[in-house]
CSV table of all heavy atoms in Angstrom, one decimal:
chain,number,residue,atom,x,y,z
O,182,MET,N,-16.8,-8.0,-8.2
O,182,MET,CA,-15.7,-7.0,-8.0
O,182,MET,C,-16.0,-5.8,-8.9
O,182,MET,O,-16.3,-6.0,-10.1
O,182,MET,CB,-14.3,-7.6,-8.3
O,182,MET,CG,-13.2,-6.7,-8.0
O,182,MET,SD,-11.5,-7.3,-7.7
O,182,MET,CE,-11.7,-8.5,-6.4
O,183,LEU,N,-15.8,-4.6,-8.4
O,183,LEU,CA,-16.0,-3.4,-9.2
O,183,LEU,C,-14.9,-3.2,-10.2
O,183,LEU,O,-13.7,-3.7,-10.0
O,183,LEU,CB,-15.9,-2.2,-8.3
O,183,LEU,CG,-17.0,-2.0,-7.2
O,183,LEU,CD1,-16.7,-0.9,-6.3
O,183,LEU,CD2,-18.4,-1.9,-7.9
O,184,ASP,N,-15.2,-2.6,-11.3
O,184,ASP,CA,-14.3,-2.3,-12.4
O,184,ASP,C,-13.5,-1.0,-12.0
O,184,ASP,O,-13.8,0.0,-12.6
O,184,ASP,CB,-15.0,-2.2,-13.7
O,184,ASP,CG,-14.0,-2.1,-14.9
O,184,ASP,OD1,-12.8,-2.5,-14.7
O,184,ASP,OD2,-14.4,-1.6,-15.9
O,185,ALA,N,-12.7,-1.1,-11.0
O,185,ALA,CA,-12.0,0.1,-10.5
O,185,ALA,C,-10.8,-0.4,-9.8
O,185,ALA,O,-10.6,-1.6,-9.4
O,185,ALA,CB,-12.9,0.8,-9.5
O,186,GLU,N,-9.9,0.6,-9.5
O,186,GLU,CA,-8.7,0.3,-8.7
O,186,GLU,C,-8.4,1.4,-7.8
O,186,GLU,O,-8.6,2.6,-8.1
O,186,GLU,CB,-7.4,0.1,-9.6
O,186,GLU,CG,-6.2,-0.2,-8.9
O,186,GLU,CD,-5.0,-0.4,-9.8
O,186,GLU,OE1,-5.1,-0.2,-11.0
O,186,GLU,OE2,-3.9,-0.7,-9.2
O,187,TYR,N,-8.1,1.1,-6.5
O,187,TYR,CA,-7.8,2.0,-5.5
O,187,TYR,C,-6.3,2.1,-5.3
O,187,TYR,O,-5.7,1.0,-5.1
O,187,TYR,CB,-8.5,1.6,-4.2
O,187,TYR,CG,-8.3,2.5,-3.0
O,187,TYR,CD1,-9.2,3.6,-2.9
O,187,TYR,CD2,-7.4,2.3,-2.1
O,187,TYR,CE1,-9.1,4.4,-1.8
O,187,TYR,CE2,-7.2,3.1,-1.0
O,187,TYR,CZ,-8.1,4.2,-0.8
O,187,TYR,OH,-8.0,5.0,0.2
O,188,VAL,N,-5.7,3.2,-5.4
O,188,VAL,CA,-4.3,3.4,-5.3
O,188,VAL,C,-4.0,4.2,-4.0
O,188,VAL,O,-4.5,5.4,-3.9
O,188,VAL,CB,-3.6,4.1,-6.5
O,188,VAL,CG1,-2.1,4.3,-6.3
O,188,VAL,CG2,-3.9,3.3,-7.8
O,189,LEU,N,-3.3,3.7,-3.1
O,189,LEU,CA,-3.0,4.3,-1.8
O,189,LEU,C,-1.5,4.6,-1.7
O,189,LEU,O,-0.7,3.6,-1.6
O,189,LEU,CB,-3.5,3.5,-0.7
O,189,LEU,CG,-3.2,4.0,0.7
O,189,LEU,CD1,-4.0,5.3,1.0
O,189,LEU,CD2,-3.5,2.9,1.8
O,190,PRO,N,-1.1,5.8,-1.7
O,190,PRO,CA,0.3,6.1,-1.5
O,190,PRO,C,0.6,6.2,0.1
O,190,PRO,O,-0.2,6.8,0.8
O,190,PRO,CB,0.5,7.5,-2.1
O,190,PRO,CG,-0.8,8.1,-2.1
O,190,PRO,CD,-1.8,7.0,-2.1
O,191,VAL,N,1.6,5.5,0.5
O,191,VAL,CA,2.0,5.6,1.9
O,191,VAL,C,3.5,5.8,2.1
O,191,VAL,O,4.3,5.4,1.2
O,191,VAL,CB,1.6,4.3,2.8
O,191,VAL,CG1,0.1,4.1,2.7
O,191,VAL,CG2,2.3,3.1,2.3
O,192,LYS,N,3.9,6.4,3.2
O,192,LYS,CA,5.3,6.5,3.5
O,192,LYS,C,5.3,6.7,5.0
O,192,LYS,O,4.7,7.7,5.5
O,192,LYS,CB,5.9,7.7,2.8
O,192,LYS,CG,7.4,7.8,3.1
O,192,LYS,CD,8.1,8.9,2.3
O,192,LYS,CE,9.6,9.0,2.6
O,192,LYS,NZ,10.2,10.1,1.9
O,193,SER,N,5.8,5.8,5.7
O,193,SER,CA,5.7,5.8,7.2
O,193,SER,C,7.1,5.4,7.8
O,193,SER,O,7.8,4.5,7.3
O,193,SER,CB,4.7,4.8,7.6
O,193,SER,OG,4.5,4.8,9.0
O,194,ALA,N,7.4,6.0,8.9
O,194,ALA,CA,8.6,5.7,9.7
O,194,ALA,C,8.4,4.4,10.5
O,194,ALA,O,9.4,3.8,10.9
O,194,ALA,CB,9.0,6.8,10.6
O,195,LYS,N,7.2,4.0,10.8
O,195,LYS,CA,6.9,2.8,11.5
O,195,LYS,C,5.9,2.0,10.7
O,195,LYS,O,5.1,2.5,10.0
O,195,LYS,CB,6.5,3.0,12.9
O,195,LYS,CG,5.2,3.8,13.1
O,195,LYS,CD,4.9,4.0,14.5
O,195,LYS,CE,3.5,4.7,14.6
O,195,LYS,NZ,3.0,4.8,16.0
O,196,SER,N,5.9,0.7,11.0
O,196,SER,CA,5.0,-0.2,10.3
O,196,SER,C,3.5,0.1,10.5
O,196,SER,O,3.1,0.4,11.6
O,196,SER,CB,5.3,-1.7,10.6
O,196,SER,OG,4.3,-2.5,10.0
O,197,LEU,N,2.7,0.1,9.4
O,197,LEU,CA,1.3,0.2,9.5
O,197,LEU,C,0.6,-1.1,9.4
O,197,LEU,O,-0.7,-1.2,9.4
O,197,LEU,CB,0.8,1.1,8.4
O,197,LEU,CG,1.4,2.5,8.3
O,197,LEU,CD1,1.1,3.3,7.0
O,197,LEU,CD2,1.0,3.3,9.5
O,198,ALA,N,1.3,-2.2,9.4
O,198,ALA,CA,0.8,-3.5,9.2
O,198,ALA,C,-0.2,-3.9,10.2
O,198,ALA,O,-1.2,-4.6,9.9
O,198,ALA,CB,1.9,-4.5,9.1
O,199,HIS,N,0.0,-3.6,11.5
O,199,HIS,CA,-0.9,-4.0,12.5
O,199,HIS,C,-1.7,-2.9,13.1
O,199,HIS,O,-1.8,-2.7,14.3
O,199,HIS,CB,-0.1,-4.8,13.6
O,199,HIS,CG,0.6,-6.0,13.1
O,199,HIS,ND1,-0.1,-7.1,12.7
O,199,HIS,CD2,1.9,-6.2,12.8
O,199,HIS,CE1,0.8,-8.0,12.2
O,199,HIS,NE2,2.0,-7.4,12.3
O,200,THR,N,-2.2,-2.1,12.2
O,200,THR,CA,-3.1,-0.9,12.5
O,200,THR,C,-4.4,-1.2,11.9
O,200,THR,O,-4.7,-2.2,11.2
O,200,THR,CB,-2.5,0.4,12.1
O,200,THR,OG1,-2.5,0.4,10.6
O,200,THR,CG2,-1.1,0.6,12.6
O,201,ASP,N,-5.3,-0.2,12.0
O,201,ASP,CA,-6.6,-0.3,11.3
O,201,ASP,C,-6.5,-0.3,9.8
O,201,ASP,O,-7.5,-0.6,9.1
O,201,ASP,CB,-7.5,0.9,11.8
O,201,ASP,CG,-7.9,0.8,13.2
O,201,ASP,OD1,-7.9,-0.3,13.8
O,201,ASP,OD2,-8.3,1.8,13.8
O,202,LEU,N,-5.3,0.1,9.3
O,202,LEU,CA,-5.2,0.1,7.8
O,202,LEU,C,-5.3,-1.3,7.2
O,202,LEU,O,-5.9,-1.4,6.1
O,202,LEU,CB,-3.8,0.7,7.4
O,202,LEU,CG,-3.5,0.8,6.0
O,202,LEU,CD1,-4.6,1.6,5.2
O,202,LEU,CD2,-2.1,1.4,5.7
O,203,THR,N,-4.8,-2.3,7.9
O,203,THR,CA,-4.9,-3.7,7.3
O,203,THR,C,-6.3,-4.2,7.1
O,203,THR,O,-6.7,-4.6,6.0
O,203,THR,CB,-4.0,-4.6,8.1
O,203,THR,OG1,-2.7,-4.2,8.0
O,203,THR,CG2,-4.1,-6.0,7.6
O,204,PRO,N,-7.2,-4.1,8.1
O,204,PRO,CA,-8.6,-4.5,7.8
O,204,PRO,C,-9.3,-3.7,6.8
O,204,PRO,O,-10.1,-4.2,6.0
O,204,PRO,CB,-9.3,-4.4,9.2
O,204,PRO,CG,-8.2,-4.2,10.2
O,204,PRO,CD,-7.0,-3.8,9.5
O,205,TYR,N,-8.9,-2.4,6.8
O,205,TYR,CA,-9.5,-1.5,5.7
O,205,TYR,C,-9.1,-2.0,4.3
O,205,TYR,O,-9.9,-2.1,3.4
O,205,TYR,CB,-9.0,-0.1,6.0
O,205,TYR,CG,-9.3,0.9,5.0
O,205,TYR,CD1,-10.7,1.4,4.8
O,205,TYR,CD2,-8.4,1.5,4.1
O,205,TYR,CE1,-11.0,2.3,3.8
O,205,TYR,CE2,-8.7,2.5,3.2
O,205,TYR,CZ,-10.0,2.9,3.0
O,205,TYR,OH,-10.4,3.8,2.1
O,206,LEU,N,-7.8,-2.3,4.2
O,206,LEU,CA,-7.3,-2.8,2.9
O,206,LEU,C,-7.9,-4.1,2.5
O,206,LEU,O,-8.3,-4.4,1.4
O,206,LEU,CB,-5.8,-2.9,2.9
O,206,LEU,CG,-5.0,-1.6,2.9
O,206,LEU,CD1,-3.5,-1.9,3.1
O,206,LEU,CD2,-5.3,-0.7,1.7
O,207,GLU,N,-8.1,-5.0,3.5
O,207,GLU,CA,-8.7,-6.3,3.3
O,207,GLU,C,-10.2,-6.1,2.8
O,207,GLU,O,-10.6,-6.7,1.8
O,207,GLU,CB,-8.7,-7.1,4.6
O,207,GLU,CG,-9.2,-8.5,4.4
O,207,GLU,CD,-9.0,-9.3,5.7
O,207,GLU,OE1,-8.9,-8.7,6.8
O,207,GLU,OE2,-8.9,-10.5,5.5
O,208,GLN,N,-10.9,-5.2,3.4
O,208,GLN,CA,-12.3,-4.9,3.0
O,208,GLN,C,-12.3,-4.3,1.6
O,208,GLN,O,-13.1,-4.8,0.7
O,208,GLN,CB,-13.0,-4.0,3.9
O,208,GLN,CG,-14.4,-3.7,3.6
O,208,GLN,CD,-15.3,-4.9,3.8
O,208,GLN,OE1,-15.3,-5.6,4.8
O,208,GLN,NE2,-16.1,-5.2,2.7
O,209,LEU,N,-11.5,-3.3,1.3
O,209,LEU,CA,-11.4,-2.7,0.0
O,209,LEU,C,-11.1,-3.7,-1.1
O,209,LEU,O,-11.7,-3.7,-2.2
O,209,LEU,CB,-10.4,-1.6,-0.1
O,209,LEU,CG,-10.8,-0.2,0.4
O,209,LEU,CD1,-9.6,0.7,0.4
O,209,LEU,CD2,-11.9,0.3,-0.5
O,210,SER,N,-10.1,-4.6,-0.8
O,210,SER,CA,-9.7,-5.6,-1.8
O,210,SER,C,-10.7,-6.6,-2.1
O,210,SER,O,-10.6,-7.3,-3.1
O,210,SER,CB,-8.4,-6.3,-1.3
O,210,SER,OG,-8.6,-7.1,-0.2
O,211,SER,N,-11.8,-6.7,-1.3
O,211,SER,CA,-12.9,-7.6,-1.6
O,211,SER,C,-13.8,-7.0,-2.7
O,211,SER,O,-14.6,-7.6,-3.3
O,211,SER,CB,-13.6,-8.0,-0.4
O,211,SER,OG,-14.4,-7.0,0.1
O,212,TRP,N,-13.7,-5.7,-2.8
O,212,TRP,CA,-14.6,-4.9,-3.7
O,212,TRP,C,-13.9,-4.5,-5.0
O,212,TRP,O,-14.5,-4.4,-6.1
O,212,TRP,CB,-15.1,-3.6,-3.1
O,212,TRP,CG,-15.9,-3.8,-1.9
O,212,TRP,CD1,-16.7,-4.8,-1.6
O,212,TRP,CD2,-16.0,-2.9,-0.8
O,212,TRP,NE1,-17.3,-4.6,-0.3
O,212,TRP,CE2,-16.9,-3.4,0.2
O,212,TRP,CE3,-15.4,-1.7,-0.5
O,212,TRP,CZ2,-17.2,-2.8,1.4
O,212,TRP,CZ3,-15.7,-1.0,0.7
O,212,TRP,CH2,-16.6,-1.6,1.6
O,213,MET,N,-12.6,-4.3,-5.0
O,213,MET,CA,-11.8,-3.8,-6.2
O,213,MET,C,-10.3,-4.1,-6.0
O,213,MET,O,-9.9,-4.4,-4.9
O,213,MET,CB,-12.0,-2.3,-6.4
O,213,MET,CG,-11.4,-1.4,-5.3
O,213,MET,SD,-11.8,0.3,-5.4
O,213,MET,CE,-13.5,0.4,-4.8
O,214,ASP,N,-9.6,-4.0,-7.1
O,214,ASP,CA,-8.1,-4.1,-7.0
O,214,ASP,C,-7.6,-3.0,-6.2
O,214,ASP,O,-8.0,-1.8,-6.3
O,214,ASP,CB,-7.5,-4.1,-8.4
O,214,ASP,CG,-7.8,-5.3,-9.2
O,214,ASP,OD1,-8.0,-6.4,-8.6
O,214,ASP,OD2,-7.9,-5.2,-10.4
O,215,VAL,N,-6.6,-3.3,-5.4
O,215,VAL,CA,-5.9,-2.3,-4.5
O,215,VAL,C,-4.4,-2.3,-4.7
O,215,VAL,O,-3.8,-3.4,-4.7
O,215,VAL,CB,-6.2,-2.5,-3.0
O,215,VAL,CG1,-5.5,-1.5,-2.1
O,215,VAL,CG2,-7.7,-2.5,-2.7
O,216,THR,N,-3.8,-1.1,-5.0
O,216,THR,CA,-2.4,-1.0,-5.1
O,216,THR,C,-1.9,0.0,-4.0
O,216,THR,O,-2.4,1.1,-3.9
O,216,THR,CB,-2.0,-0.4,-6.5
O,216,THR,OG1,-2.4,-1.4,-7.5
O,216,THR,CG2,-0.5,-0.2,-6.6
O,217,VAL,N,-0.9,-0.5,-3.2
O,217,VAL,CA,-0.3,0.4,-2.2
O,217,VAL,C,1.1,0.7,-2.8
O,217,VAL,O,1.9,-0.1,-3.0
O,217,VAL,CB,-0.2,-0.3,-0.9
O,217,VAL,CG1,0.5,0.6,0.1
O,217,VAL,CG2,-1.6,-0.7,-0.3
O,218,VAL,N,1.3,2.0,-3.0
O,218,VAL,CA,2.6,2.5,-3.4
O,218,VAL,C,3.3,3.0,-2.2
O,218,VAL,O,2.9,4.0,-1.6
O,218,VAL,CB,2.5,3.7,-4.5
O,218,VAL,CG1,3.8,4.1,-4.9
O,218,VAL,CG2,1.6,3.2,-5.7
O,219,ASP,N,4.4,2.3,-1.8
O,219,ASP,CA,4.9,2.4,-0.4
O,219,ASP,C,6.4,3.0,-0.5
O,219,ASP,O,7.3,2.4,-1.0
O,219,ASP,CB,5.0,1.1,0.2
O,219,ASP,CG,5.3,1.1,1.7
O,219,ASP,OD1,5.8,2.1,2.2
O,219,ASP,OD2,5.1,0.1,2.3
O,220,GLY,N,6.5,4.2,0.0
O,220,GLY,CA,7.8,4.9,0.0
O,220,GLY,C,8.5,4.8,1.3
O,220,GLY,O,9.5,5.6,1.6
O,221,SER,N,8.1,3.9,2.2
O,221,SER,CA,8.7,3.7,3.5
O,221,SER,C,10.1,3.1,3.4
O,221,SER,O,10.5,2.6,2.4
O,221,SER,CB,7.8,2.8,4.3
O,221,SER,OG,6.5,3.2,4.4
O,222,ALA,N,10.8,3.3,4.5
O,222,ALA,CA,12.2,2.7,4.6
O,222,ALA,C,12.1,1.2,4.4
O,222,ALA,O,11.0,0.6,4.6
O,222,ALA,CB,12.7,3.0,6.0
O,223,GLU,N,13.2,0.6,4.0
O,223,GLU,CA,13.2,-0.8,3.6
O,223,GLU,C,12.6,-1.8,4.7
O,223,GLU,O,11.9,-2.7,4.3
O,223,GLU,CB,14.7,-1.2,3.3
O,223,GLU,CG,14.8,-2.6,2.7
O,223,GLU,CD,14.0,-2.9,1.4
O,223,GLU,OE1,13.8,-1.9,0.6
O,223,GLU,OE2,13.5,-4.0,1.2
O,224,ASP,N,13.0,-1.6,5.9
O,224,ASP,CA,12.5,-2.5,7.0
O,224,ASP,C,11.0,-2.4,7.1
O,224,ASP,O,10.3,-3.4,7.2
O,224,ASP,CB,13.2,-2.3,8.3
O,224,ASP,CG,13.0,-0.9,8.9
O,224,ASP,OD1,12.9,0.1,8.1
O,224,ASP,OD2,12.9,-0.8,10.1
O,225,VAL,N,10.4,-1.2,7.0
O,225,VAL,CA,9.0,-1.0,7.1
O,225,VAL,C,8.3,-1.5,5.9
O,225,VAL,O,7.3,-2.2,5.9
O,225,VAL,CB,8.7,0.5,7.3
O,225,VAL,CG1,7.2,0.8,7.3
O,225,VAL,CG2,9.3,1.0,8.6
O,226,PHE,N,8.9,-1.3,4.7
O,226,PHE,CA,8.4,-1.8,3.4
O,226,PHE,C,8.2,-3.3,3.5
O,226,PHE,O,7.2,-3.9,3.1
O,226,PHE,CB,9.3,-1.4,2.3
O,226,PHE,CG,8.8,-1.8,0.9
O,226,PHE,CD1,7.9,-1.1,0.2
O,226,PHE,CD2,9.2,-3.1,0.4
O,226,PHE,CE1,7.5,-1.5,-1.1
O,226,PHE,CE2,8.8,-3.5,-0.8
O,226,PHE,CZ,7.9,-2.7,-1.6
O,227,GLN,N,9.3,-4.0,4.0
O,227,GLN,CA,9.2,-5.5,4.1
O,227,GLN,C,8.1,-6.0,5.0
O,227,GLN,O,7.5,-7.0,4.7
O,227,GLN,CB,10.6,-6.0,4.5
O,227,GLN,CG,11.7,-5.9,3.5
O,227,GLN,CD,11.3,-6.5,2.2
O,227,GLN,OE1,10.7,-7.5,2.1
O,227,GLN,NE2,11.6,-5.8,1.1
O,228,LYS,N,7.9,-5.3,6.2
O,228,LYS,CA,6.8,-5.7,7.1
O,228,LYS,C,5.5,-5.5,6.4
O,228,LYS,O,4.6,-6.4,6.5
O,228,LYS,CB,6.9,-4.8,8.3
O,228,LYS,CG,8.0,-5.2,9.3
O,228,LYS,CD,8.1,-4.3,10.5
O,228,LYS,CE,9.3,-4.6,11.3
O,228,LYS,NZ,9.6,-3.7,12.4
O,229,HIS,N,5.3,-4.4,5.7
O,229,HIS,CA,4.1,-4.2,4.9
O,229,HIS,C,3.9,-5.3,3.9
O,229,HIS,O,2.8,-5.9,3.7
O,229,HIS,CB,4.1,-2.9,4.2
O,229,HIS,CG,4.0,-1.7,5.2
O,229,HIS,ND1,4.3,-0.4,4.8
O,229,HIS,CD2,3.7,-1.6,6.5
O,229,HIS,CE1,4.2,0.4,5.8
O,229,HIS,NE2,3.8,-0.3,6.9
O,230,SER,N,5.0,-5.6,3.2
O,230,SER,CA,4.9,-6.6,2.1
O,230,SER,C,4.5,-8.0,2.7
O,230,SER,O,3.6,-8.7,2.1
O,230,SER,CB,6.3,-6.7,1.5
O,230,SER,OG,6.2,-7.0,0.1
O,231,GLN,N,5.0,-8.4,3.8
O,231,GLN,CA,4.7,-9.6,4.4
O,231,GLN,C,3.2,-9.7,4.8
O,231,GLN,O,2.5,-10.6,4.7
O,231,GLN,CB,5.6,-9.9,5.6
O,231,GLN,CG,7.0,-10.2,5.2
O,231,GLN,CD,7.9,-10.3,6.4
O,231,GLN,OE1,7.5,-10.0,7.5
O,231,GLN,NE2,9.2,-10.6,6.1
O,232,CYS,N,2.8,-8.6,5.5
O,232,CYS,CA,1.4,-8.5,6.0
O,232,CYS,C,0.4,-8.5,4.9
O,232,CYS,O,-0.7,-9.1,5.0
O,232,CYS,CB,1.3,-7.3,6.9
O,232,CYS,SG,-0.3,-7.2,7.7
O,233,TRP,N,0.6,-7.8,3.8
O,233,TRP,CA,-0.4,-7.5,2.8
O,233,TRP,C,-0.2,-8.4,1.6
O,233,TRP,O,-1.0,-8.3,0.6
O,233,TRP,CB,-0.3,-6.0,2.4
O,233,TRP,CG,-0.6,-5.1,3.5
O,233,TRP,CD1,-1.3,-5.3,4.6
O,233,TRP,CD2,-0.1,-3.7,3.6
O,233,TRP,NE1,-1.3,-4.2,5.4
O,233,TRP,CE2,-0.6,-3.2,4.8
O,233,TRP,CE3,0.7,-2.9,2.8
O,233,TRP,CZ2,-0.3,-1.9,5.3
O,233,TRP,CZ3,1.0,-1.7,3.2
O,233,TRP,CH2,0.5,-1.2,4.4
O,234,ALA,N,0.7,-9.4,1.6
O,234,ALA,CA,0.9,-10.3,0.5
O,234,ALA,C,-0.4,-11.0,0.2
O,234,ALA,O,-1.1,-11.5,1.0
O,234,ALA,CB,2.0,-11.3,0.8
O,235,GLY,N,-0.7,-11.1,-1.1
O,235,GLY,CA,-1.9,-11.7,-1.6
O,235,GLY,C,-3.2,-10.9,-1.4
O,235,GLY,O,-4.3,-11.3,-2.0
O,236,MET,N,-3.1,-9.8,-0.7
O,236,MET,CA,-4.3,-9.0,-0.5
O,236,MET,C,-4.3,-7.8,-1.4
O,236,MET,O,-5.4,-7.4,-2.0
O,236,MET,CB,-4.3,-8.5,1.0
O,236,MET,CG,-5.5,-7.7,1.4
O,236,MET,SD,-5.4,-6.9,3.0
O,236,MET,CE,-4.4,-7.9,4.0
O,237,VAL,N,-3.2,-7.1,-1.6
O,237,VAL,CA,-3.0,-5.9,-2.4
O,237,VAL,C,-1.8,-6.1,-3.3
O,237,VAL,O,-0.9,-6.8,-3.0
O,237,VAL,CB,-2.9,-4.7,-1.5
O,237,VAL,CG1,-4.2,-4.5,-0.7
O,237,VAL,CG2,-1.7,-4.6,-0.7
O,238,ARG,N,-1.7,-5.2,-4.3
O,238,ARG,CA,-0.5,-5.1,-5.0
O,238,ARG,C,0.3,-4.1,-4.2
O,238,ARG,O,-0.2,-3.0,-3.9
O,238,ARG,CB,-0.8,-4.4,-6.4
O,238,ARG,CG,-0.2,-5.2,-7.5
O,238,ARG,CD,-0.6,-4.6,-8.9
O,238,ARG,NE,-1.8,-5.1,-9.4
O,238,ARG,CZ,-3.0,-4.6,-9.4
O,238,ARG,NH1,-3.2,-3.4,-8.9
O,238,ARG,NH2,-4.1,-5.2,-9.8
O,239,HIS,N,1.6,-4.4,-3.9
O,239,HIS,CA,2.4,-3.6,-3.0
O,239,HIS,C,3.7,-3.3,-3.8
O,239,HIS,O,4.4,-4.2,-4.2
O,239,HIS,CB,2.7,-4.3,-1.7
O,239,HIS,CG,3.5,-3.6,-0.7
O,239,HIS,ND1,4.7,-4.0,-0.2
O,239,HIS,CD2,3.3,-2.4,-0.2
O,239,HIS,CE1,5.2,-3.2,0.6
O,239,HIS,NE2,4.4,-2.1,0.7
O,240,CYS,N,4.0,-2.0,-4.0
O,240,CYS,CA,5.2,-1.7,-4.8
O,240,CYS,C,5.8,-0.4,-4.3
O,240,CYS,O,5.2,0.4,-3.5
O,240,CYS,CB,4.8,-1.5,-6.3
O,240,CYS,SG,3.6,-0.2,-6.6
O,241,ARG,N,7.0,-0.1,-4.7
O,241,ARG,CA,7.7,1.1,-4.5
O,241,ARG,C,7.4,2.2,-5.5
O,241,ARG,O,7.1,1.8,-6.7
O,241,ARG,CB,9.2,0.9,-4.5
O,241,ARG,CG,9.7,0.1,-3.3
O,241,ARG,CD,11.0,0.8,-2.8
O,241,ARG,NE,11.4,0.2,-1.6
O,241,ARG,CZ,11.2,0.7,-0.4
O,241,ARG,NH1,10.5,1.8,-0.3
O,241,ARG,NH2,11.7,0.1,0.7
O,242,PRO,N,7.4,3.4,-5.2
O,242,PRO,CA,7.2,4.5,-6.2
O,242,PRO,C,8.5,4.5,-7.1
O,242,PRO,O,9.6,4.2,-6.7
O,242,PRO,CB,7.1,5.8,-5.4
O,242,PRO,CG,7.8,5.5,-4.1
O,242,PRO,CD,7.6,4.0,-3.8
O,243,ILE,N,8.2,4.9,-8.3
O,243,ILE,CA,9.3,5.1,-9.3
O,243,ILE,C,9.8,6.5,-9.2
O,243,ILE,O,9.0,7.4,-9.3
O,243,ILE,CB,8.9,4.7,-10.7
O,243,ILE,CG1,8.5,3.2,-10.8
O,243,ILE,CG2,10.0,5.0,-11.7
O,243,ILE,CD1,7.8,2.9,-12.1
O,244,SER,N,11.1,6.7,-9.0
O,244,SER,CA,11.7,8.0,-8.9
O,244,SER,C,11.5,8.7,-10.3
O,244,SER,O,11.7,8.1,-11.3
O,244,SER,CB,13.1,7.9,-8.6
O,244,SER,OG,13.6,9.2,-8.2
O,245,TRP,N,11.1,10.0,-10.3
O,245,TRP,CA,10.8,10.7,-11.5
O,245,TRP,C,11.5,12.1,-11.4
O,245,TRP,O,11.4,12.7,-10.3
O,245,TRP,CB,9.3,10.9,-11.6
O,245,TRP,CG,8.9,11.4,-12.9
O,245,TRP,CD1,8.6,12.6,-13.3
O,245,TRP,CD2,8.6,10.6,-14.1
O,245,TRP,NE1,8.2,12.7,-14.6
O,245,TRP,CE2,8.2,11.4,-15.1
O,245,TRP,CE3,8.8,9.2,-14.3
O,245,TRP,CZ2,7.9,10.9,-16.4
O,245,TRP,CZ3,8.4,8.7,-15.6
O,245,TRP,CH2,8.0,9.6,-16.6
O,246,PRO,N,12.2,12.5,-12.4
O,246,PRO,CA,12.9,13.8,-12.3
O,246,PRO,C,11.9,14.9,-12.2
O,246,PRO,O,10.8,14.9,-12.7
O,246,PRO,CB,13.7,13.8,-13.6
O,246,PRO,CG,13.0,12.9,-14.6
O,246,PRO,CD,12.3,11.9,-13.7
O,247,GLY,N,12.3,15.9,-11.5
O,247,GLY,CA,11.5,17.1,-11.3
O,247,GLY,C,11.4,17.5,-9.8
O,247,GLY,O,11.9,16.8,-8.9
O,248,ARG,N,10.7,18.5,-9.6
O,248,ARG,CA,10.6,19.1,-8.2
O,248,ARG,C,9.9,18.2,-7.2
O,248,ARG,O,10.2,18.2,-6.0
O,248,ARG,CB,9.9,20.4,-8.2
O,248,ARG,CG,10.7,21.5,-9.0
O,248,ARG,CD,10.0,22.8,-8.9
O,248,ARG,NE,10.2,23.3,-7.5
O,248,ARG,CZ,10.5,24.5,-7.2
O,248,ARG,NH1,10.6,25.4,-8.2
O,248,ARG,NH2,10.6,24.9,-6.0
O,249,ASN,N,8.9,17.4,-7.7
O,249,ASN,CA,8.2,16.6,-6.8
O,249,ASN,C,8.7,15.2,-6.7
O,249,ASN,O,8.1,14.3,-6.0
O,249,ASN,CB,6.7,16.6,-7.1
O,249,ASN,CG,6.1,17.9,-6.9
O,249,ASN,OD1,6.4,18.6,-6.0
O,249,ASN,ND2,5.1,18.3,-7.7
O,250,GLY,N,9.7,14.8,-7.5
O,250,GLY,CA,10.3,13.5,-7.5
O,250,GLY,C,9.3,12.5,-8.1
O,250,GLY,O,9.3,11.4,-7.9
């Protein structure tokens, strides 16, 4: 495994769990740690969480004060 981490921010109105993203994340996670920071709606977030469990670190973004949140 590489001494690196891939961080992917996502925010989607529909689930990305059964798209080309999942095999991509699976391949990446065999090479390095992968974190998906997911700002999607709760139902979409849960679908992603179920699909990617054990493959990637999956978390919500932390709200931060300022213009960009």
Side-chain angles (χ1 to χ4, degrees):
M182 187 162 302
L183 294 174
D184 188 21
E186 180 176 3
Y187 184 83
V188 178
L189 177 67
V191 299
K192 183 175 182 179
S193 181
K195 61 181 185 172
S196 176
L197 301 171
H199 301 291
T200 66
D201 290 341
L202 180 59
T203 297
Y205 174 70
L206 292 174
E207 188 172 24
Q208 183 66 51
L209 275 176
S210 69
S211 71
W212 299 330
M213 67 186 79
D214 291 332
V215 177
T216 299
V217 177
V218 181
D219 190 347
S221 302
E223 186 61 30
D224 61 325
V225 175
F226 181 90
Q227 290 305 321
K228 288 177 185 173
H229 292 164
S230 215
Q231 291 169 356
C232 184
W233 301 332
M236 184 188 332
V237 302
R238 233 178 269 102
H239 182 237
C240 61
R241 288 227 173 259
I243 297 171
S244 192
W245 195 262
R248 294 184 73 138
N249 293 327

